[in-house]
Amino acid sequence: MTVRPDEPEGIVLQARDVRFDWTGVPLHWIPRDPVASHLINVLHLLLPAGEEWFIRVFKQALPYIRDDRLREDVLGFIGQEAVHATSHEGVLEHFGAQGLDVGPFVRQVDFMFEGLLGDRDLTGEPLRAWLFERVAIIAAIEHFTGVLGDWVLNASALDRAGADPTMLDLLRWHGAEEVEHRHVAHDLFMHLDGSYAARLRAMSETLFMLGSLWQRGHRYLLAADPVVRGRVRGGLGHLRRTGPAGLSPSRRALFASIRRYLRRDYTPLNEGSTVQALAYLASSPAAQAALR
């Protein structure tokens, strides 16, 4: 697969110490659309624990890296993911202050990453194999975060719908950094293992995990929402409306991205544009404030 010709080289990944003021940001930050708002709000439930898990796994992988540039990229990735986790934790605190208790679901997410996907009492080859397996899963997850990052950078329907500007800046700042570092997890997987069988296995595991978590997370948010109070049942079936309306990624686009990932010549550099991501980071209110 040919890499798009406008991709810049030599990008040094750096964490941007952003801050967001959530005062006045509503639960339904897409006005009059709690269903679409909460489809995206599921991200806030998953990302803090997920990205902290990414960091732990990648730190364990550092001794296996034999390429200096890849090591530099992995360290930059770790720095960015740490800020991402903290930023989304701020959203969860804001939700709690508005009467939406996310604790029960977040604890389930923590169990998945800490328990099911966490460290095991292993040594030698089994320890190395479990580490490489988790790197493969992270590479599959990062495929989707790159796709989502590209989507939100281009989701003009959110602007037309009057989406809250602070939430949009969080999502687009985060999305831009996901596009900026979208190659790192795949590069690390290819460096450590790279087998097509491992890539297929990791994608199948990731699809099951993310699909079930998103379905359950959306249902949880609508049931716990102090305004909706469970009057609307959540679930991924709502993508039939929100996708074509541009308020969420469409099912067609997501399935097409999976087909691209399963190609033997797949490269994440074709998922989105680094040039566009850097352009947004140069204009993001939060990212620019972090420079001052």
Side-chain angles (χ1 to χ4, degrees):
M1 185 180 291
T2 303
V3 177
R4 53 190 307 159
D6 62 342
E7 277 299 305
E9 297 181 359
I11 299 294
V12 177
L13 299 175
Q14 57 182 325
R16 298 167 177 88
D17 188 22
V18 298
R19 296 288 187 274
F20 297 92
D21 181 4
W22 298 111
T23 305
V25 177
L27 281 177
H28 309 153
W29 52 272
I30 302 174
R32 299 170 299 281
D33 201 334
V35 167
S37 296
H38 285 320
L39 270 172
I40 300 178
N41 284 341
V42 175
L43 281 169
H44 307 306
L45 304 179
L46 304 182
L47 288 173
E51 292 181 314
E52 289 168 3
W53 175 71
F54 290 1
I55 291 168
R56 290 194 298 275
V57 172
F58 274 31
K59 284 183 176 178
Q60 294 173 20
L62 284 171
Y64 294 92
I65 298 175
R66 302 175 303 281
D67 179 270
D68 290 340
R69 177 56 199 270
L70 178 58
R71 177 183 296 275
E72 181 181 12
D73 284 344
V74 168
L75 290 172
F77 176 98
I78 288 171
Q80 289 187 342
E81 295 291 87
V83 180
H84 295 172
T86 301
S87 299
H88 288 277
E89 286 173 351
V91 180
L92 296 183
E93 293 172 3
H94 178 63
F95 285 174
Q98 295 186 85
L100 177 56
D101 180 12
V102 299
F105 191 83
V106 168
R107 285 191 288 274
Q108 294 179 38
V109 175
D110 288 341
F111 171 75
M112 186 191 70
F113 286 111
E114 294 284 349
L116 299 180
L117 293 172
D119 295 339
R120 298 178 179 176
D121 187 18
L122 302 170
T123 59
E125 177 57 25
L127 175 65
R128 186 191 70 86
W130 178 231
L131 172 62
F132 289 9
E133 180 78 11
R134 290 183 293 169
V135 169
I137 293 172
I138 293 173
I141 295 173
E142 280 288 299
H143 166 74
F144 288 112
T145 60
V147 168
L148 291 173
D150 180 49
W151 170 78
V152 78
L153 286 172
N154 294 285
S156 57
L158 293 176
D159 301 276
R160 293 193 298 272
D164 181 85
T166 300
M167 185 65 80
L168 268 186
D169 189 34
L170 167 70
L171 294 171
R172 286 176 173 160
W173 155 76
H174 187 167
E177 289 199 347
E178 290 297 331
V179 171
E180 182 185 30
H181 73 220
R182 65 199 185 281
H183 61 94
V184 176
H186 182 71
D187 289 351
L188 179 59
F189 163 70
M190 296 300 291
H191 182 73
L192 298 179
D193 184 328
S195 76
Y196 187 66
R199 182 144 60 95
L200 289 178
R201 183 171 62 251
M203 176 52 76
S204 65
E205 294 165 347
T206 297
L207 282 173
F208 175 78
M209 176 177 64
L210 290 183
S212 60
L213 283 174
W214 222 291
Q215 175 96 339
R216 292 171 54 227
H218 191 235
R219 288 178 175 174
Y220 178 87
L221 287 171
L222 284 170
D225 187 303
V227 177
V228 178
R229 296 182 180 274
R231 289 189 296 270
V232 180
R233 182 174 173 80
L236 297 182
H238 289 289
L239 291 174
R240 287 192 294 268
R241 174 184 67 85
T242 60
L247 301 177
S248 73
S250 69
R251 293 184 299 174
R252 176 178 295 182
L254 291 172
F255 286 130
S257 82
I258 295 168
R259 288 195 296 272
R260 292 194 298 274
Y261 188 81
L262 297 179
R263 290 182 55 166
R264 289 185 178 272
D265 60 350
Y266 164 80
T267 170
L269 292 177
N270 286 326
E271 305 294 334
S273 164
T274 303
V275 171
Q276 182 187 31
L278 294 177
Y280 183 78
L281 291 169
S283 63
S284 159
Q288 288 308 295
L291 298 176
R292 295 196 287 270

